[in-house]
Amino acid sequence: MALSLKERLRMRRKGLRYHLVIVEFLVVVIPFLILFYIFFLRHIFLGTSQMILIALTLVLILSGLIILRQIFDRFSLLSISLQEAKKGGRALIPVQRDTVEQPEITRSFNRFMNRLEEITAELQQGTFRLLNIRELTEVVRKSLDYDELLNMLLEKSMNVTGAQIGSVLMAESDGNRFRVVAARGTELGPEKGSYINMHDTLLQYVVSQRTSLLVQDIENDPRTRKVNNPRYGSSSFLSMPIFAGESLLGVLNLSSKEMQQVFDPHDEDIVSIMVGEIGFALDNARLHSQVLEHVKDLQERTVELTRANEQMEEQMEDRKQIEKHLEDTNKFLHNILDSSLSISIISTDLEQNVIFWNKGSENIFGYTAEEIVGKRTIKVLYPDEEMKQQVDEIRSLIKREKINVHKELREITKDGRMLWVNLNLTPRLDERGNVIGILGIGEDITEYRKREDDLRRSEEKYRSILEAIEEGYFEVDLGGHFTFLNDAVCRISGHARETLMRMGNRDFTEPETAKRMYLIFNEIYRTGSPAKVTDYEIIKADGSKVILEMSASLMRDASGNPIGFRGVVRDVTQRKQAEEEQRRLETQLQYAQKMEALGTLAGGIAHNFNNLLMGIMGNTSLLLLDTDSQSPHYEKLKKIEKLIDSGALLTKQLLGYVREGHYEIKPIDLNRVVKETADTFAMTKKNITLHQELNEKLSTVKADQGQIEQVLWNLYVNAAEAMPIGGGLFLSTENVADEKMTRRPYDVKPGNYVLVTVRDTGIGMDKKTMDRIFEPFFTTKGLSKGTGLGLSSVYGMVKAHGGYIEVESKKGKGTTFSMYFPGTPAEIKERKIAIGEMREGTETILLVDDEEQILEVSKDMLKVLGYTVHTANSGKKAIAIYRAHKDGIDMVILDMIMPDLSGGETYDQLKKINPDVKVLLSSGYSIDSQASEILKRGCDGFIQKPFDLKGLSQNLRTILAHDPDTSL
């Protein structure tokens, strides 16, 4: 059956529609499949604007196809109608409507084609961008090189955005500066390798906001408001932060678009995708670098572990030797770990499950690897909840900080024994640096801890002992700084412990002492031998000084290397003072004994010499009586008499030294004596200038004026001899109390003293000379110029008056003599002494002397004076004669020194025979304590040899006639 035209048109139209529908379906599905491939298989992600653009493009293409389908429907209808007309049929064609719609269809088709061209261009641009993203993605997948990645990012981002200038800035560690690591178009932009300060640019916004900065008008954008530089082209630019995870690595800068175009959000999205890809790549590169470092670290730790194990094997005597070489690294390492029988090596995961347990762990804790690996947690080794909590905190710290932890912990064995284990815990990391477990290396230190506790208790014991002893104990390092000291050191030094610990040897000693102690400790260090110091003087906190006795020795470490010094000190200040006082007393005693011995010698010499002079004097006096004054022998005899007087003066000086002189002790004014003798001396020595500084209120002293004058004259003469070309002589007097006379080499008796000082500006003396100046017969002038008795007699006379004498002198600085005489409140009384002429007598006298020549000459002298004389050469004969003739003997002249019976004993026997016996003592010695005692017992007088007729006659008449106004 033939179809009508309408039906054929409908069928034809339906066929065309089916074809167009198929085309429309393909237009939608094919792009979808392409997007699926890009998104899910190539992992390329597009921004929202790009997705909208693609969708709009598909819609436009679909709309064009629909319009095209309507046009095809019109043309199909017209074609069928024309064919029908050719066959003679008729067909109605809505030409008018088509005519009206055709221009509109044409315009729509043109618009469609124009839009299709625009979309095609956009698709081409999108395709170009996708290709650049794809190339960038390929590089990202293959490369871990920072520079390559950043240069590729800059190149591709400039390609897809059309930027003329671009740079990549990497942040420095301080976060304020950026370094240009990649740059293009550098004739306008920043140079590669240069630095940019964040605060001087718009980088501050990107860094602080951590987002991209798209500026389309630099002059009007409120975030910039900056005059554009025409050299850079468009006033638009784009800055994009580069992140690796949460860390800001750098910033991508793009500017200067072609044809004065501005950057738009599409550019921002595309660049964002690229930056994101690069961020992931940079993060991967960083992780890869960390993995490499971690692998290197593991390798280094493996080497360290191997070395540590080898060292432990050398130190442990019971360590087994490795029997064979290992075939591969894993087996070698495993055997090393298992061979450490005294070292436990345990590896656990984060849940504390044991995944490795070596033979050392079995040996220490008693569990085999089969019993514990994969079956139990490490908590089985911890005895209580407190220890478990402590271990959990340590593991958390290791996991969080990824650090090694060294700790001593209590752990329990399989059989319940409690151990102390020295643990070194190390985190195990995966290739990304994440902690996946903990490796623990432990050593059983139970015995060590026990020894350490014993040692600590021992140290505490000895420390308590050290704190309890009186002696100071100290330890110092090689630099001389205290490392330990007991309380006694603080007590001795007066410093607090904290102060001493900050001090050195030089801080509490004089520089000379510090230097000496340095030499002593240096000798200890050099020889290793202990040393003892008996006079270590230190300065206490209050400024006073103490003397320490110290024993010091060298301290060494376990290897025998010197590490410091230890010592014991004790305060010996009082002992030293006592020893010094003892030495002073011994010196004083020795000096006194020496002076006493010298005095005895000098006294004996003076006694014998006086006896000789007595014989000469007596015979000379007798000859002068028989010689006329006009005789040529008379003057010679007078000269002999003068020489005898000089000899007598010499013996008087000797006896003055030994304090044997006969003094007339009475209150005198020392100022007057000093002034009179000084004025007389000044007249004889014109080249010496005299200076006197005499205290007008000077106290009175009891002394023999003649002896004091002799003392002063001896000192004047001594000063003059020390100043041969002249100089100055300074004399002074003052009152001194005994409290001011301290630190003397003699005992000072309490009371007031008068100080007489004689100082010259002469040549002075050295110490050796000063030590001997008071010795009799010691002289520096030679025997032809001096007797050596001047200063020795001065010493004796001063001591005889109860005084003290001191001397100070330096070579070339002059000499000062200081004499202290006891003061007295007694007043000075003047007494006139009447001296008569030679007087004769008729009485009978018993003359007693053991020296024959003295006996003969004295007998002749007495006979010349008119006396009857009985002689006796010993005390016993004298007693016998006196007992036989006591009624006829009027007086006895008795010698003091006799061999069989002394003068004192003889006197006592005579007193027993006749209590009223009159006795005149006679001696070559001056009046001493023995003679004074006899005088106190009633003896009538004393005459010193040598004496002349005049002196003898006056003493005899004084005693026989009881004449008190006449005395010698």
Side-chain angles (χ1 to χ4, degrees), residues 848-851 872-880 894-907 909 930:
V848 184
D849 200 303
D850 64 316
E851 297 285 345
N873 61 359
S874 68
K876 291 181 179 180
K877 289 183 179 180
I879 293 171
L894 180 61
D895 186 22
M896 277 289 300
I897 306 300
M898 292 183 294
D900 56 348
L901 197 66
S902 68
E905 293 172 334
T906 302
Y907 172 76
Q909 293 294 329
Q930 183 179 359

Side-chain angles (χ1 to χ4, degrees), residues 99-360:
T99 306
V100 175
E101 294 177 353
Q102 185 174 0
E104 182 64 27
I105 292 171
T106 303
R107 285 193 297 272
S108 298
F109 184 76
N110 289 334
R111 285 196 300 272
F112 168 74
M113 294 305 293
N114 291 334
R115 185 57 182 162
L116 184 60
E117 290 178 358
E118 293 176 0
I119 291 173
T120 302
E122 291 178 358
L123 285 175
Q124 291 176 348
Q125 181 66 24
T127 301
F128 176 73
R129 290 177 174 178
L130 289 175
L131 289 175
N132 278 278
I133 292 174
R134 178 180 178 182
E135 292 177 4
L136 180 63
T137 304
E138 292 295 331
V139 173
V140 164
R141 289 180 177 180
K142 297 177 180 179
S143 177
L144 293 173
D145 184 89
Y146 268 54
D147 292 337
E148 182 180 3
L149 292 171
L150 294 175
N151 278 293
M152 179 60 71
L153 170 64
L154 181 61
E155 177 186 350
K156 296 305 179 182
S157 61
M158 292 180 67
N159 287 343
V160 300
T161 59
Q164 296 294 311
I165 300 174
S167 62
V168 178
L169 313 179
M170 297 301 290
E172 293 291 297
S173 58
D174 58 4
N176 294 323
R177 292 198 313 162
F178 286 78
R179 181 170 59 89
V180 180
V181 297
R184 289 175 176 266
T186 54
E187 67 279 359
L188 297 177
E191 294 182 0
K192 183 177 180 180
S194 61
Y195 289 89
I196 298 176
N197 194 325
M198 180 183 75
H199 300 291
D200 297 336
T201 65
L202 297 176
L203 289 172
Q204 186 173 3
Y205 176 85
V206 177
V207 174
S208 61
Q209 299 298 321
R210 297 177 67 86
T211 185
S212 60
L213 176 62
L214 173 61
V215 177
Q216 295 181 327
D217 188 349
I218 194 172
E219 296 182 349
N220 297 318
D221 195 307
R223 297 170 298 178
T224 56
R225 296 190 181 280
K226 181 178 180 182
V227 178
N228 183 48
N229 189 342
R231 291 196 314 140
Y232 294 97
S234 171
S235 62
S236 174
F237 67 87
L238 174 62
S239 290
M240 183 73 63
I242 302 173
F243 291 97
E246 294 297 326
S247 302
L248 177 66
L249 297 181
V251 177
L252 171 66
N253 290 324
L254 300 173
S255 63
S256 186
K257 290 269 286 186
E258 292 182 347
M259 301 180 65
Q260 299 299 319
Q261 293 181 359
V262 299
F263 292 99
D264 55 27
H266 295 293
D267 297 327
E268 185 178 10
D269 291 339
I270 291 297
V271 173
S272 176
I273 292 172
M274 292 182 172
V275 169
E277 289 293 323
I278 289 297
F280 287 124
L282 294 177
D283 196 27
N284 289 336
R286 179 179 60 82
L287 292 176
H288 181 264
S289 176
Q290 290 180 351
V291 169
L292 292 178
E293 291 178 358
H294 182 63
V295 170
K296 182 179 179 181
D297 183 59
L298 287 177
Q299 292 174 345
E300 291 176 352
R301 293 191 182 204
T302 301
V303 173
E304 291 175 0
L305 182 60
T306 303
R307 291 176 180 172
N309 190 70
E310 290 174 352
Q311 291 176 355
M312 282 187 262
E313 288 177 351
E314 292 175 359
Q315 296 174 356
M316 303 293 288
E317 295 180 358
D318 57 347
R319 190 68 54 86
K320 292 183 178 180
Q321 297 294 329
I322 299 176
E323 297 180 355
K324 62 178 180 178
H325 294 291
L326 302 177
E327 296 178 357
D328 51 63
T329 304
N330 290 334
K331 184 178 180 180
F332 174 71
L333 181 58
H334 189 274
N335 288 339
I336 288 177
L337 298 178
D338 277 345
S339 65
S340 303
L341 297 181
S342 61
I343 302 296
S344 68
I345 302 176
I346 304 172
S347 181
T348 61
D349 58 18
L350 294 181
E351 285 73 33
Q352 302 191 30
N353 297 310
V354 179
I355 60 178
F356 180 81
W357 183 273
N358 76 331
K359 294 294 184 181

Side-chain angles (χ1 to χ4, degrees), residues 831-836 839 954 958 961-968:
R831 181 168 66 93
K832 295 182 179 181
I833 302 176
I835 302 177
R839 300 169 65 184
Q954 290 176 354
T958 299
H962 297 286
D963 185 1
D965 293 330
T966 304
S967 63
L968 182 59

Side-chain angles (χ1 to χ4, degrees), residues 586-600:
E586 289 176 352
T587 302
Q588 182 179 347
L589 176 60
Q590 292 171 0
Y591 187 76
Q593 291 173 341
K594 172 181 165 184
M595 300 304 291
E596 190 68 29
L598 291 172
T600 301

Side-chain angles (χ1 to χ4, degrees), residues 824-842:
T824 178
E827 296 181 359
I828 299 174
K829 295 181 180 180
E830 298 291 340
R831 181 168 66 93
K832 295 182 179 181
I833 302 176
I835 302 177
E837 297 296 330
M838 183 174 64
R839 300 169 65 184
E840 298 179 352
T842 59

Side-chain angles (χ1 to χ4, degrees), residues 493-510:
S493 66
H495 292 284
R497 184 183 299 271
E498 295 75 13
T499 303
L500 284 173
M501 295 301 287
R502 296 192 301 268
M503 297 174 71
N505 172 266
R506 298 180 181 274
D507 298 326
F508 48 80
T509 58
E510 296 289 352

Side-chain angles (χ1 to χ4, degrees), residues 23 33 47 65 97 106 124 186 192 247-248 252 401 408 413 495 518 571 628 646 697 762 768:
V23 172
L33 293 176
L65 292 174
R97 190 180 62 181
T106 303
Q124 291 176 348
T186 54
K192 183 177 180 180
S247 302
L248 177 66
L252 171 66
E401 302 294 336
E408 293 182 1
T413 65
H495 292 284
Y518 170 79
D571 186 353
D628 187 80
S646 298
K697 298 181 179 180
K768 184 177 180 181

Side-chain angles (χ1 to χ4, degrees), residues 9 293 330 424 548 613 750 768 917:
L9 288 175
E293 291 178 358
N330 290 334
N424 187 16
L548 305 181
L613 291 177
K768 184 177 180 181
V917 64

